[in-house]
Each structure stands twice: as C-alpha cells, then as structure tokens.
Amino acid sequence: MAKTTLSAVRGMNDILPPESGAWQQLEQSFRSVLAQYGCAEIRVPIVEQSALFARAIGDVTDIVQKEMYTFADRNGDSLTLRPEGTAGVVRALIEHGALRGQTPRLYYMGPMFRHERPQRGRYRQFHQLGVEFFGIAGASADAEIIALSARLLASAGIPAQLQLNSLGTPESRAGYREILLAYLRPHAQQLCNDCQERLERNPLRVLDCKIASCQEIARGAPQLLQHLDPESAAHFVALQELLQAMDIAYTINPRLVRGLDYYHRTVFEWVADGLGSQGTVLAGGRYDGLVAQLGGPETPAIGFALGMERILALRSLTQASESSTGPALFLGALDEPALSAVFQRAEELRSQGLSVVVAGPGSVKSLLKQAQRSAARYQVLLGGSDLTGGDILLKEQEGQGEWRGPWAELPRALATLGVDFP
Ligand code: HAM
C-alpha cells in the first residue's frame, strides 16, 4: 500500500526555529509593555460551549454563521474552538465572581480559529494578543487602552494608522439602522452577493465591505456619527481630547463598524501598509453590554486584540534578519573519554545559567560542521588527552576571539570573555 505523507491542516502553520525565536522575542517585549500598564495574564480554555460565541459575538455575524470550528463532543455537547478571546475571558470572570467591585486589566496570548479563506495574513489558526479592561465607563479607559495599543505597536517597530469611530448605544444604533436601510434598499441590486445577503439582518456591515461597488454606495450613506445619542457623542469628544493630549494621531472613519456585535460606543483599528487587504494589525472597542448579556453584573469594558502573524510578517519586511538565537557554547567530544567530561562540564555551566549544546564523539570535521549549524557563539573541541595536561582552545565562531588554557579554567575564561551568565 502506498504511503501518503500527512501535512498540516490548510491555513494552520507550523512555527519552527529560528522563526519561533522571533515569536518568543516579540511575546517577551509585549509582556514588558503590558506590565507597564498594570495588566495581568489570564489563560482560558481554547474550547468553549458553542452557545457562548453565538450569544457574545452575535448570531448574525460572519464569524458565527460561517467561520466557527464547531463539533459535537463525545457526549453530544456542541463545542467550538474559540474564534476570539473576549467571550471566554468574560465567561471566566463571571464564573469566578471576579468583577464585583473590581477593575481587572487582563491580557491573553494564544491561538484562535476561524474557517476563513486562507491568504497572506489570514489563517485558519492564528494567534492573538488580547487586552481587556473592565469596570471603567469613562473615556479615560478608552484613551489608556489606545495608548497601550500604540505602545505595543511602537515596541514592535510597526508603523500604523489609528482609525476611530463610535457606534453609540444599541438604542441609537437601532434608530440609525432604519435610516441606513431606507438608504440602502434602493441600491440593493448594485451590492455584492454577501452584502445583499446581509442587508436586512446586519446592514451596518455593508459600510465596511471591501468591494469597490459597495464602498461607492457606502460613501453616500447617512453617517452613524450624525445619529449618536448625546452621552455617546460626549464620550467620543472626551476620548479625542485625551488622545490629542497624548499626541496620538488618529483619523475618524465613519464607516468603521467591526465584525462582532458586542461593541458599544468606541471602536478602533490600527492599519498598516504592506499586507494588502489584511492590513488591520490590531482592532477593538468598548463592549459595555456584554458582561450583563452573558449573565454577569452590569460592567463597562473595553479591549482589543492584535494579530501576531501580521505583526511578525511586517517585522520581517523591515528587519532583514533576526538576531541569532543560538546557544552561548558548543562543546564537542572527539572520543568517549572526553564525552563524559563534556557532559559533566555542560551541566555545571547550565546550572550557572549558560546555554550549552553538546555533541560527539565525532571527527573534527563533523563536529565543526555541527558547531556551525548550532549557531553557538563559542566552540570547544575536546579529546581525552586534553583532559590530562594539554591546553584546550575556546574559539569564537563568528569572530576572531579565542582563549587557550586548561580545561578546568573554562568557566572562568568564559566569564572573562563576557559570555552572559544571567
Ligand atoms: P478581530 O477584529 O476579529 O477582533 O481580530 C483582531 C485582530 O486579530 C485582527 O485585527 C487581526 O490582526 C487578527 N486576525 C483576525 N482574524 C485573523 C485571521 N484569520 N488570520 C490572522 N489574523 C487574524 C477580535 O477578535 C476581538 N475579540 C478584539 C477585541 C478584544 N475587542 C474587544 N476586546
């Protein structure tokens, strides 16, 4: 029987070294920015009951209608691989009673799943860093979380433009929906198939359709910003004043509506050049009604998520090569007696915090090849006879640095050469 090779599921990617090193670096630098804003990490399951997403994201959204990985558990429960992180975080906080009288600021990192058509910057398994602030109704929370999003992007070296809009309250939006429908219905025939389909159930989505003919019609539509309730309008002004005070530039995009139904008032997206139609690297907004809608106490909230793959793709456009992620030292044994000495010394150095790889026994030629592949900063090749008197040679792989001396002195020599012992 012919053997077929198995491959990863379409739209789901393996992340191998050295790429995984670039991911770790980025995650690490994001974590330190998040700490500056007092955010703590929350880890929630990747699988939730399907009803959670239908209730939180909205029955009539593309995500819930077309994109979820939903399956029956062995006992018949309907479960779904999370398409986003906000719903699970809200569910967890309600379940653990973590919202009463508190204002948690939380972040999460991890895989999300959407059955979309894969293309550059759009995958079926992708990774988000998400941040959620709870318990603050005022525009200060919006301003602070937008400042945090700006700093995260700056820390990753990603230039992007901030777009802002306000969706008002569900009541003001319901009034606007009728006004918008009255404008759109006579144009129904000119809309794309998707928009014709969504026209009656979710007409606001027509406003941010990417198809040129729909955009043309959307440009002439009455604007939601002109139909905001007075509190939402004041909130939007207060937010803009705070952004101006912090020198954060933005443009108001009256057609920015977002693809999830839980938003109230402020919505925002950061858009970068270089990824074609998948240029939105970070997006979010306020969702004051969601906690109560999922059975928790009335709690205002705002958050966003950024797409890790999109950030990394943009970084690789601007940075020719990632810095080396190789170990500090390669120790190669030329024969059996040297091997046990090398193992012993490697453990000793590792317990002092140094990264070491060990190889052998092997010929000089094969060890040198392995040393090069390891991308270690320094290498030592050692035979049994070097242990009893002779000097060993420590060599820098990419530079000219070297040291010659007794095997017992190696740790001290490394420290003198400035090899990091954390
Ligand atoms: P979202 O706009 O659906 O919002 O996704 C946020 C970001 O995740 C996008 O801007 C994009 O960078 C990335 N992303 C989304 N789908 C894909 C995909 N198929 N492939 C690669 N990257 C993707 C949310 O998920 C909300 N939960 C954000 C939020 C948090 N709002 C409030 N709190």
Side-chain angles (χ1 to χ4, degrees):
M1 207 170 69
K3 277 192 200 152
T4 48
T5 44
L6 296 174
S7 55
V9 175
R10 186 163 127 82
M12 304 199 181
N13 301 311
D14 301 309
I15 303 165
L16 276 60
E19 205 195 330
S20 53
W23 279 73
Q24 288 180 342
Q25 264 182 15
L26 187 64
E27 288 162 1
Q28 198 46 48
S29 83
F30 283 162
R31 282 182 206 275
S32 37
V33 174
L34 289 158
Q36 289 184 293
Y37 286 78
C39 301
E41 186 175 9
I42 181 167
R43 300 188 185 196
V44 293
I46 286 171
V47 181
E48 298 273 358
Q49 294 186 40
S50 306
L52 171 68
F53 300 115
R55 275 171 67 185
I57 299 170
D59 278 332
V60 299
T61 57
D62 285 353
I63 296 181
V64 171
Q65 293 219 326
K66 307 186 201 158
E67 297 170 1
M68 295 206 306
Y69 281 89
T70 295
F71 57 96
D73 196 1
R74 287 186 185 273
N75 56 12
D77 295 342
S78 177
L79 303 181
T80 295
L81 298 184
R82 62 182 187 192
E84 58 102 54
T86 312
V89 169
V90 170
R91 194 255 326 126
L93 295 184
I94 296 171
E95 193 169 333
H96 296 277
L99 286 168
R100 292 195 192 274
Q102 298 185 52
T103 54
R105 299 171 159 223
L106 300 169
Y107 78 88
Y108 48 89
M109 290 186 192
M112 308 291 160
F113 303 83
R114 295 184 194 173
H115 196 275
E116 296 186 84
R117 198 169 44 77
Q119 64 181 78
R120 184 156 173 264
R122 187 167 71 193
Y123 307 101
R124 290 181 173 173
Q125 175 175 325
F126 59 98
H127 296 75
Q128 284 186 343
L129 157 63
V131 181
E132 317 287 352
F133 285 9
F134 293 91
I136 300 170
S140 66
D142 309 35
E144 195 178 1
I145 211 163
I146 289 175
L148 163 57
S149 68
R151 196 173 291 276
L152 286 168
L153 294 174
S155 77
I158 306 294
Q161 283 77 47
L162 172 62
Q163 299 190 0
L164 213 57
N165 194 17
S166 174
L167 299 181
T169 58
E171 297 73 36
S172 61
R173 201 152 70 219
Y176 170 72
R177 187 181 184 277
E178 295 311 313
I179 296 168
L180 180 64
L181 266 175
Y183 167 80
L184 288 175
R185 278 193 191 114
H187 294 94
Q189 294 311 313
Q190 292 105 280
L191 295 172
C192 74
N193 287 343
D194 274 351
C195 284
Q196 289 192 11
E197 209 183 284
R198 16 171 121 103
L199 182 59
E200 296 295 329
R201 53 181 168 83
N202 202 356
L204 267 72
R205 289 293 285 163
V206 176
L207 295 178
D208 76 347
C209 178
K210 303 287 181 279
I211 308 282
S213 53
C214 298
Q215 286 184 350
E216 182 62 38
I217 295 165
R219 266 193 286 278
Q223 293 189 357
L224 175 53
L225 277 178
Q226 310 302 325
H227 296 85
L228 289 184
D229 55 290
E231 287 83 26
S232 296
H235 186 101
F236 199 44
V237 170
L239 166 61
Q240 291 176 60
E241 284 170 1
L242 287 166
L243 291 178
Q244 285 158 19
M246 290 188 289
D247 271 337
I248 296 177
Y250 58 87
T251 48
I252 293 177
N253 175 356
R255 287 180 294 280
L256 179 64
V257 296
R258 311 275 300 122
L260 306 96
D261 274 357
Y262 49 59
Y263 293 112
H264 286 197
R265 297 194 169 153
T266 312
V267 289
F268 62 98
E269 291 193 357
W270 286 91
V271 183
D273 291 332
L275 287 176
S277 59
Q278 306 306 316
T280 304
V281 287
L282 184 155
R286 184 168 271 286
Y287 51 95
D288 291 348
L290 183 61
V291 179
Q293 188 188 318
L294 293 179
E298 283 289 341
T299 310
I302 182 163
F304 66 79
L306 64 76
M308 293 290 288
E309 282 84 358
R310 295 187 187 177
I311 301 279
L312 281 151
L314 287 165
R315 264 158 76 95
S316 65
L317 291 180
T318 52
Q319 295 178 358
S321 65
E322 291 293 337
S323 61
S324 156
T325 50
L329 181 66
F330 175 92
L331 285 178
L334 292 160
D335 49 34
E336 290 289 346
L339 190 63
S340 59
V342 153
F343 264 97
Q344 202 183 0
R345 180 56 47 84
E347 282 303 306
E348 193 187 303
L349 291 167
R350 286 173 185 140
S351 59
Q352 292 171 44
L354 202 74
S355 53
V356 185
V357 290
V358 171
S363 66
V364 172
K365 192 169 158 205
S366 99
L367 288 176
L368 285 177
K369 212 185 263 171
Q370 290 180 61
Q372 208 165 34
R373 266 195 233 125
S374 77
R377 189 163 157 211
Y378 287 96
Q379 50 101 337
V380 174
L381 304 192
L382 188 81
S385 56
D386 300 318
L387 298 167
T388 53
D391 280 350
I392 62 154
L393 178 62
L394 172 74
K395 281 185 77 157
E396 195 172 17
Q397 294 221 92
E398 291 293 322
Q400 304 299 312
E402 59 177 57
W403 168 87
R404 205 178 272 279
W407 172 237
E409 299 280 315
L410 178 64
R412 207 164 52 80
L414 286 167
T416 324
L417 284 166
V419 176
D420 292 336
F421 284 86

